[in-house]
Amino acid sequence: MNLKSLFKICLFAVLMAACKNDVKEAIEVTEDALEQEFSFNVEEFADIKVLRYQIPGWENLTLKEQKLVYYLTEAGLAGRDIMWDQNYRHNLKIRRALEHVYTQFSGDKTTDDWTNFETYLKRVWFSNGIHHHYSNAKLKPEFSKQYLTELLTATNTTLEGEALDVLFNAKDAKKVNQAKGIDNVLESAVNFYGPDVTNKDVADFYKTKTSPNPEKPLSYGLNSQLVKENGVLKERVYKSGGLYGAAIDEIVTWLEKAKGVAENEAQGNAIGLLIQYYKTGDLQTWDDYNVAWTAATEGNIDYINSFIEVYNDPLGYRGSYETIVQVNDFDMSAKMAVLSENAQWFEDNSPLMDEHKKANVVGVSYKVVNVAGEAGDASPSTPIGVNLPNANWIRAAVGSKSVSLGNIIHAYNNAGGSGRLKAFVHDEEELQLEEKYGQLADKLHTALHEVIGHASGQLNPGVGETKETLKTYASTLEEGRADLVGLYYLYDAKLQELGLVDDWKNVGKAAFDGYIRNGLMTQLIRLDLGDDVEEAHMRNRQWVSAWAFEKGKADNVIEKVTREGKTYFNINDYDKLHDLFGQLLRETQRIKSEGDYAAVEALVEGYGVKVDQAIHAEVLERNKQFPSPPYSGFVNPVLVPELNADGEITAIKVTQPKAFAKQMLHYSKTYSHLPDVN
């Protein structure tokens, strides 16, 4: 990472709320328009660093385009509390109680207990609930139940029963529990299932679901909660008039405004289908929307909105609510368009078995975008790249959209370095490769992962969706497969031929070094000693790296080096490692194409779950010298409409939040559209 940006002098303004529905009350903000420097850093607490991002090119958008961004952003925020409730059944009640204490307590705020209370609340905000956003483990308060009870009494705040007790006991310890040999649904606290629903219940329930067209399977379970009523399984569908209906109605209100300023007919039609889907909860309409959205590639503005990624469901059925509003970066998109334009070449030249390759790769689009706003599962912790839709049949028949979030990546790269790199690289050559080529390698790996990786390969005829065949291993297998596509082609002269790099071998070497270093060592700073790896992406990075390390031992492809009591992994033969990545890519695609559950279980459990405890302890000890937290996320810019005498929007100003807590409190005040319990 680069050196820290200079902190800027802040100009504060309190913006008044307007009476028009188009305008929401704004919080105290930091004005950046007059400043030469931009501070990407907001604050740090626990294992979290909170950053800011800019919206480059905002001033070049037309007012109509700015309105579209504003309406889509408001639509996203309107559903924010859905994510909180999906994450855990008591989250909203807990958050509101903690926020009331935070804003009303007038007692001694100089004590360690109060400081720990503030930190705990910020961690809850960051995770959209009481479970860690990445590890899924329940957050542990560093204050006593007695102290919290005193705060509740002092502020006349009600939090009692299970919602209070769970903060301090061992119940609901994991939001998502992917461990082998347990009932993953029963042992996961995520609020996608009723408290007495089991793995078998879910499997049996969806066995009875048959899509009208088996070649275009519907995404059963994506937008509902599965519960038992009088012993009978029943879906509570997310829709107007259904579960989360109050928030969904607000989302629809803003989407209707967005549809009115759509850039073109295709975009407007897609938004219209999304509105219809929210109103009805109909999964055929969801597919119709995704087909229309995938085909709507013209314009400066795009978005992601709805119940999409299934990582938070231990069985991979149910989508978490998320939104990302995007402004196209035309210069970078034009430069990177060669990837999507050559998608067929990458497919044809991959090491996959011929029967697993797509004969005709269709509709693959790739853009570099600048984020204008995020909510739900995409905020505060955000992805850096996205490829959608997830339905395999739509990818094969219509195509997909891939984006890299350029301004998010830029903010990460400019938020300051930690010094960890020098501590974990094997030698000066590896350090120089990373410093010279690392950022480019990371950007290209993200692009290849999203554009080529997720769009590549096909299922064998008659093989079901991966959530049915690969079950709890579906997500980590897919992410690892896409990573392997990226790794395989990062060490290929084709990238230089396409004008994306000037030195493909060194870019590839930097990518391989960084991946192995992270997969076998540095990502372990995110785990407590003794923990297994459970998060899907962490699992895939470990099983890819550990498999390559083991399979290359005979030729000493990757060497484990111990020097002065410290462990390093040094790549001795990049060509052979490239071949190994190709072999593993071929196998992971075979597993997916054939639905080979036994093989994916052996791969993930054998290489991706258990951690070498000696190395883990060493990594944690070596990391103690670095104060920079291992996780980062973002506050969002605030879009503030300016109105004329008739209440019409004449301009929309971009401002920056002053502090993380202020934005979280503003969101809770402005976008709380759900009751505590659903």
Side-chain angles (χ1 to χ4, degrees):
M1 290 189 177
N2 297 329
L3 295 174
K4 288 185 177 180
S5 302
L6 297 174
F7 285 100
K8 63 184 184 300
I9 300 173
C10 298
L11 174 66
F12 301 125
V14 178
L15 302 166
M16 302 302 294
C19 60
K20 300 291 287 184
N21 288 335
D22 291 18
V23 183
K24 293 293 185 180
E25 181 183 2
I27 58 172
E28 187 178 42
V29 296
T30 305
E31 177 57 62
D32 295 304
L34 302 179
E35 297 301 325
Q36 297 295 319
E37 298 292 335
F38 181 83
S39 176
F40 292 93
N41 296 283
V42 178
E43 65 176 298
E44 298 180 5
F45 51 86
D47 57 353
I48 302 298
K49 178 190 289 187
V50 180
L51 308 175
R52 297 184 183 91
Y53 62 90
Q54 297 167 295
I55 312 176
W58 177 258
E59 65 282 358
N60 297 326
L61 298 178
T62 67
L63 178 58
K64 183 181 179 183
E65 290 168 337
Q66 290 182 352
K67 286 181 179 179
L68 177 59
V69 172
Y70 173 65
Y71 295 148
L72 290 170
T73 301
E74 289 295 314
L77 289 167
R80 172 179 181 257
D81 277 1
I82 294 174
M83 185 71 240
W84 281 78
D85 194 73
Q86 285 182 315
N87 277 341
Y88 184 56
R89 63 189 179 277
H90 293 308
N91 271 340
L92 288 175
K93 183 180 294 184
I94 292 168
R95 188 193 77 197
R96 288 164 181 163
L98 298 182
E99 288 174 344
H100 192 260
V101 168
Y102 183 75
T103 56
Q104 299 302 313
F105 182 63
S106 59
D108 187 356
K109 297 183 180 180
T110 64
T111 66
D112 288 343
D113 276 338
W114 178 257
T115 299
N116 291 336
F117 171 81
E118 284 187 301
T119 298
Y120 179 74
L121 176 55
K122 289 177 181 179
R123 297 185 75 190
V124 170
W125 278 329
F126 192 89
S127 295
N128 295 316
I130 66 169
H131 296 88
H132 194 277
H133 74 285
Y134 207 84
S135 74
N136 289 312
K138 190 165 60 174
L139 301 172
K140 297 178 181 179
E142 294 186 9
F143 53 86
S144 67
K145 185 177 181 180
Q146 178 181 345
Y147 179 70
L148 179 57
T149 301
E150 292 170 359
L151 292 178
L152 294 170
T153 301
T155 56
N156 195 28
T157 304
T158 300
L159 184 66
E160 57 192 4
E162 186 180 55
L164 172 61
D165 295 340
V166 76
L167 302 183
F168 301 95
N169 63 26
K171 189 175 181 180
D172 295 331
K174 287 276 189 179
K175 182 177 76 175
V176 185
N177 194 331
Q178 295 277 25
K180 181 182 177 182
I182 66 169
D183 193 302
N184 305 98
V185 171
L186 279 178
E187 296 298 324
S188 296
V190 68
N191 195 26
F192 286 145
Y193 299 98
D196 51 355
V197 177
T198 66
N199 281 16
K200 185 177 185 302
D201 288 332
V202 179
D204 290 346
F205 184 82
Y206 289 108
K207 280 180 183 177
T208 67
K209 301 291 184 181
T210 303
S211 297
N213 183 349
E215 294 183 0
K216 299 179 178 181
L218 299 177
S219 300
Y220 287 118
L222 184 70
N223 65 333
S224 66
Q225 182 190 56
L226 187 64
V227 299
K228 284 183 180 178
E229 291 186 0
N230 299 318
V232 179
L233 289 166
K234 175 184 176 182
E235 286 184 320
R236 302 175 69 201
V237 178
Y238 312 151
K239 65 176 182 176
S240 296
L243 187 56
Y244 304 137
I248 287 172
D249 288 343
E250 292 291 330
I251 296 170
V252 167
T253 296
W254 289 102
L255 287 178
E256 287 173 339
K257 294 178 186 293
K259 185 174 184 293
V261 292
E263 296 177 275
N264 51 63
E265 184 178 2
Q267 186 183 70
N269 289 341
I271 295 174
L273 284 167
L274 180 58
I275 291 169
Q276 184 181 346
Y277 169 62
Y278 272 129
K279 288 182 175 180
T280 65
D282 181 69
L283 290 171
Q284 183 58 61
T285 304
W286 171 245
D287 280 356
D288 294 343
Y289 160 71
N290 276 285
V291 169
W293 175 81
T294 302
T297 57
E298 300 299 321
N300 297 339
I301 313 303
D302 210 345
Y303 63 94
I304 293 163
N305 182 304
S306 200
F307 312 104
I308 300 174
E309 302 291 3
V310 298
Y311 302 117
N312 288 319
D313 182 347
L315 299 187
Y317 283 87
R318 308 189 130 70
S320 296
Y321 176 80
E322 72 169 303
T323 69
I324 304 174
V325 183
Q326 312 154 9
V327 179
N328 192 19
D329 182 331
F330 288 96
D331 291 339
M332 283 302 298
S333 293
K335 180 179 179 181
M336 300 297 288
V338 292
L339 284 179
S340 54
E341 292 166 359
N342 286 271
Q344 191 66 59
W345 183 92
F346 288 108
E347 185 78 354
D348 293 344
N349 289 274
S350 74
L352 308 185
M353 300 177 189
D354 288 341
E355 60 267 31
H356 297 157
K357 296 180 182 180
K358 289 178 179 175
N360 295 293
V361 179
V362 299
V364 177
S365 70
Y366 175 62
K367 293 180 180 179
V368 178
V369 301
N370 292 313
V371 173
E374 298 179 311
D377 203 28
S379 181
S381 179
T382 171
I384 58 174
V386 182
N387 176 272
L388 292 172
N390 285 326
N392 284 301
W393 77 262
I394 298 179
R395 290 179 186 272
V398 181
S400 62
K401 285 181 179 178
S402 296
V403 295
S404 290
L405 310 186
N407 57 338
I408 296 296
I409 295 171
H410 178 73
Y412 278 131
N413 289 338
N414 287 276
S418 67
R420 286 192 184 95
L421 176 63
K422 291 182 180 180
F424 287 97
V425 295
H426 172 254
D427 53 26
E428 185 65 22
E429 179 185 2
E430 184 178 337
L431 176 63
Q432 290 180 4
L433 280 171
E434 175 62 31
E435 290 180 336
K436 187 172 183 179
Y437 300 105
Q439 285 193 21
L440 176 59
D442 288 344
K443 288 180 181 179
L444 285 172
H445 191 218
T446 298
L448 287 163
H449 173 110
E450 300 295 347
V451 184
I452 307 301
H454 284 308
S456 70
Q458 62 183 359
L459 300 179
N460 287 0
V463 173
E465 294 294 302
T466 55
K467 66 185 178 185
E468 301 162 354
T469 59
L470 306 183
K471 302 177 183 178
T472 58
Y473 303 112
S475 291
T476 190
L477 191 282
E478 177 60 19
E479 294 304 321
R481 190 186 67 84
D483 266 3
L484 285 162
V485 171
L487 290 167
Y488 186 77
Y489 282 118
L490 274 165
Y491 195 73
D492 193 300
K494 184 69 174 180
L495 295 187
Q496 194 156 333
E497 177 189 323
L498 295 176
L500 294 171
V501 300
D502 295 325
D503 186 342
W504 66 268
K505 275 208 167 184
N506 279 330
V507 170
K509 287 180 178 180
F512 285 12
D513 286 340
Y515 198 90
I516 295 299
R517 186 171 60 246
N518 189 32
L520 295 181
M521 293 195 71
T522 55
Q523 72 169 0
L524 297 178
I525 66 173
R526 297 181 167 194
L527 298 179
D528 292 331
L529 189 63
D531 284 354
D532 289 342
V533 182
E534 293 196 44
E535 197 278 332
H537 299 80
M538 285 187 69
R539 278 188 169 187
N540 87 244
R541 288 190 289 267
Q542 178 166 300
W543 61 251
V544 168
S545 301
W547 185 95
F549 174 64
E550 180 178 290
K551 299 302 180 183
K553 276 185 176 179
D555 296 320
N556 202 28
V557 175
I558 303 171
E559 182 181 4
K560 182 180 178 182
V561 178
T562 302
R563 186 172 63 247
E564 297 178 354
K566 297 178 180 178
T567 303
Y568 305 88
F569 288 90
N570 184 54
I571 300 173
N572 292 316
D573 194 325
Y574 292 93
D575 291 338
K576 287 185 177 178
L577 181 54
H578 176 254
D579 291 341
L580 287 170
F581 285 149
Q583 292 173 33
L584 186 54
L585 171 56
R586 180 184 177 95
E587 172 62 6
T588 55
Q589 182 60 57
R590 184 200 67 77
I591 291 171
K592 179 180 178 179
S593 295
E594 298 178 2
D596 190 341
Y597 179 81
V600 73
E601 181 182 47
L603 177 64
V604 177
E605 294 293 340
Y607 296 97
V609 177
K610 297 299 179 182
V611 177
D612 183 313
Q613 293 302 301
I615 288 181
H616 192 184
E618 178 194 324
V619 167
L620 293 176
E621 182 62 32
R622 290 163 67 180
N623 186 62
K624 286 181 179 178
Q625 63 183 299
F626 306 113
S628 180
Y631 301 101
S632 296
F634 293 86
V635 290
N636 289 303
V638 182
L639 305 182
V640 184
E642 297 179 350
L643 308 179
N644 62 18
D646 297 324
E648 299 169 337
I649 295 177
T650 58
I652 298 177
K653 193 176 185 180
V654 178
T655 60
Q656 291 289 341
K658 179 183 177 182
F660 179 60
K662 283 184 176 293
Q663 181 158 90
M664 295 299 99
L665 290 170
H666 167 65
Y667 283 172
S668 293
K669 179 179 179 180
T670 309
Y671 305 106
S672 286
H673 302 304
L674 295 178
D676 289 342
V677 179
N678 289 287

